[in-house]
Amino acid sequence: MSSSETRQVKVLDNILKANDYLARRLRRDWTEQGTFVVNLLSSPGSGKTSLLEATLPTLQQRLRVGVLEGDLETERDAERIRAKGIPALQITTGGTCHLESHMIEQAWEQLRREGPFDILFIENVGNLVCPASYDLGEHLRAVLLSVPEGDDKPAKYPKAFRSADACLITKCDLLPHFDFDLDAARRQAQDLRPDMQLFQTSATSGQGLDEWLDFVDVRFREVRSGGAGRESGASAQAATT
Amino acid sequence: MHELSIMRALFEQLEDLARKHGASRVIRLEVEVGAFSNVVPELLQEAFKSFRQIEPLLAQADMDLKKLPLVIECRDCGDRFSPSPVRYRCPLCGSGRTRTVQGEELLLRDVEMEIPDPQPETPSKPKQAATNQEALS
């Protein structure tokens, strides 16, 4: 005779807890090793790779820098970074629209052999929606918004901007050619994240790149001197604002 | 757009729970989705249906999705507000010192499972489901 029982279980667990747990472990390891990690988010084509190409050679003169590149397909972005003499590893997600911490863990195991690194940049898959939900263990999250995209991106994609510590308005050399309201973009970004650090940059003219690097440097030193950076990724800001 | 990835994470959690409790199938689960969680409840429900078709553990399961509105609290004046569009600035005093009270959740609240009797130690469905999952991701 076969019978069965029905059991009700209270769970109350975050659905992304496996990702977040691994992300916290990665952040702890990186902090202990002295590697400062930056996660770059943006739409496709906002200039994440161009920003890295324009800034990393300068940074590399005094710090050891590595890059993890996320894309659905191709090695192109990692090749662009390696062409600058900087160790880079491509993560191809094969269709997944964002990076998750287990992908970072695997890729980091490989890239770290070329280390040690003072700073690791993670270039997320170009997408302003999904990457915002995934903590990758980074200490600093920056979102890029390019002038041709329009100044209303923060209002349209609030989660990405809410979850970021810094916002770079890129391709500012194109401002004369576009109807882009800098104040409106700044206001919307700071409505979502009142302590948001904003930078006006151009990888072409070099505008704002030193300011951005100085900011990265300050945060890097904070983590080196014992600060832990973001505590729980996408939801950390709730505690800090 | 990443609801399938969310569903994969949810399924892995359900598999773990079923293993832990020796359950043969999931009957019902309750999930809470915050309005500012970046997840579209309808798309998550669709992803759930896809999993139900290929995962025996979920074959007869129902998912109750509860939507939670975004509630923000001002740390300076204590006002609570539900802005639309989302804005983390207090509408009353203008302060930017605010926090989310509710609305960013992506939570598995409860699960109802069937536990076959009298073999409470029978491990349910070991890793066999992994390949099906790959196909979906």
Side-chain angles (χ1 to χ4, degrees), chain B residues 65-116:
Chain B
L65 267 180
K66 204 170 144 197
K67 301 181 197 178
L68 301 178
L70 175 64
V71 180
I72 300 170
E73 184 180 74
C74 174
R75 285 167 182 261
D76 284 327
C77 77
D79 187 40
R80 286 191 171 196
F81 50 102
S82 298
S84 175
V86 183
R87 205 163 171 260
Y88 275 80
R89 209 174 275 288
C90 178
L92 221 60
C93 73
S95 168
R97 289 184 6 100
T98 51
R99 67 175 192 98
T100 305
V101 176
Q102 173 196 284
E104 293 192 277
E105 298 81 355
L106 195 52
L107 202 72
L108 174 59
R109 183 165 264 287
D110 337 89
V111 182
E112 199 176 311
M113 293 173 286
E114 188 173 278
I115 321 280

Side-chain angles (χ1 to χ4, degrees), chain A residues 3 6-8 13 18 20 32 44 53 57 61 89 96 106 110 131 133 141 144 147 172 206 229 240:
Chain A
S3 62
T6 302
R7 191 178 298 170
Q8 179 111 16
D13 261 339
D20 293 352
E32 280 170 16
E53 284 176 313
Q61 289 169 7
L89 191 81
T96 303
Q106 277 178 18
Q110 225 177 309
S133 299
R141 183 178 293 189
L144 279 65
V147 165
C172 279
T240 58

Side-chain angles (χ1 to χ4, degrees), chain A residues 34-195:
Chain A
T35 303
F36 178 68
V37 181
V38 184
N39 180 5
L40 297 178
L41 259 62
S42 83
S43 327
S46 297
K48 295 185 292 299
T49 315
S50 298
L51 175 75
L52 293 175
E53 284 176 313
T55 52
L56 298 196
T58 313
L59 207 54
Q60 209 192 16
Q61 289 169 7
R62 49 199 169 88
L63 296 168
R64 296 161 298 187
V65 185
V67 178
L68 292 177
E69 284 286 345
D71 275 302
L72 303 196
E73 299 289 351
T74 83
E75 275 276 325
R76 265 172 225 162
D77 284 357
E79 283 163 6
R80 281 171 63 184
I81 302 298
R82 283 196 290 264
K84 299 277 177 189
I86 293 154
L89 191 81
Q90 183 76 47
I91 304 171
T92 45
T93 64
T96 303
C97 54
H98 56 272
L99 294 173
E100 298 190 15
S101 52
H102 67 89
M103 302 174 190
I104 298 299
E105 184 190 33
Q106 277 178 18
W108 172 244
E109 277 311 311
Q110 225 177 309
L111 183 70
R112 68 184 301 178
R113 292 180 208 142
E114 297 179 53
F117 295 105
D118 298 307
I119 302 197
L120 170 69
F121 283 89
I122 300 171
E123 183 182 329
N124 219 310
V125 177
N127 175 348
L128 265 184
V129 187
C130 316
S133 299
Y134 291 86
D135 185 4
L136 302 181
E138 72 267 25
H139 299 99
L140 174 71
R141 183 178 293 189
V143 62
L144 279 65
L145 159 62
S146 70
V147 165
E149 288 174 71
D151 53 42
D152 56 355
K153 276 286 185 301
K156 286 179 173 169
Y157 299 91
K159 189 80 177 174
F161 287 83
R162 170 70 183 160
S163 78
D165 308 292
C167 172
L168 286 85
I169 298 175
T170 59
K171 309 189 191 181
C172 279
D173 52 305
L174 297 178
L175 275 170
H177 311 287
F178 286 87
D179 184 18
F180 186 100
D181 184 340
L182 275 172
D183 286 336
R186 176 180 297 116
R187 202 171 46 242
Q188 288 172 34
Q190 290 183 335
D191 272 352
L192 291 160
R193 186 68 195 262
D195 62 343

